[in-house]
Amino acid sequence: MLSNLRKSKKAQGFTIIEVLIVLAIAGLILLVVFLAVPALQRNSRNTQRKDDVARVGSAVQEFINNNNGTLPTNSANDNSAIQALLGTLAYYTNTNVTVVGAAPAAVTNNTTVDTINIYTGAACGVNGTTHGATSTGSTTRQVAIVYSTETGSGTAKLCTAE
């Protein structure tokens, strides 16, 4: 009779160990999800930024074509013309896209995640440990577009050339 009692008691529910194992596994799954979601969001924003920079490059090229090969300057008129050619950007606002003008030999790159700087007569290069625009080794017909993306610990400054 005692052995029958033990069998029926065991069949009635879960042991504490089984419940703890299930909770631990559920906790690990939630931890993985909470760690992955911010990285996915960051990558999505970076993809939007890169798409916007490609549109900026197209707008600069269109500006050059519309103005008989003249590169944009940092004048209010040229900045307005570039912003008008951009249309609506996915991440940036048009007012955060600025034609800085001719790049000196070493650009002090203070581009934040929310801005795009356009340098004329510049090429992409590395200034110390910062990627940015430089006039060293470039021609007067080149345009460098400097922008930043998010990384796990801050921003990475990137440059694309037209």
Side-chain angles (χ1 to χ4, degrees), residues 43-160:
N43 290 341
S44 175
R45 288 188 301 269
N46 285 342
T47 299
Q48 288 178 332
R49 287 182 184 99
K50 290 174 186 176
D51 290 345
D52 285 351
V53 169
R55 291 195 55 201
V56 169
S58 296
V60 168
Q61 189 60 50
E62 189 173 347
F63 176 91
I64 293 168
N65 292 341
N66 291 345
N67 291 286
N68 298 323
T70 303
L71 294 175
T73 64
N74 61 350
S75 71
N77 289 340
D78 287 358
N79 274 306
S80 295
I82 295 285
Q83 291 168 6
L85 291 170
L86 286 175
T88 304
L89 298 173
Y91 179 82
Y92 296 98
T93 60
N94 290 4
T95 55
N96 291 350
V97 179
T98 307
V99 179
V100 176
V107 172
T108 303
N109 188 348
N110 60 354
T111 301
T112 65
V113 173
D114 294 329
T115 61
I116 297 175
N117 289 332
I118 303 167
Y119 293 95
T120 56
C124 296
V126 178
N127 304 321
T129 59
T130 303
H131 294 271
T134 177
S135 63
T136 305
S138 68
T139 68
T140 57
R141 303 297 310 153
Q142 286 180 299
V143 176
I145 302 168
V146 179
Y147 66 104
S148 295
T149 59
E150 295 174 67
T151 61
S153 61
T155 61
K157 290 170 181 32
L158 303 172
C159 182
T160 185

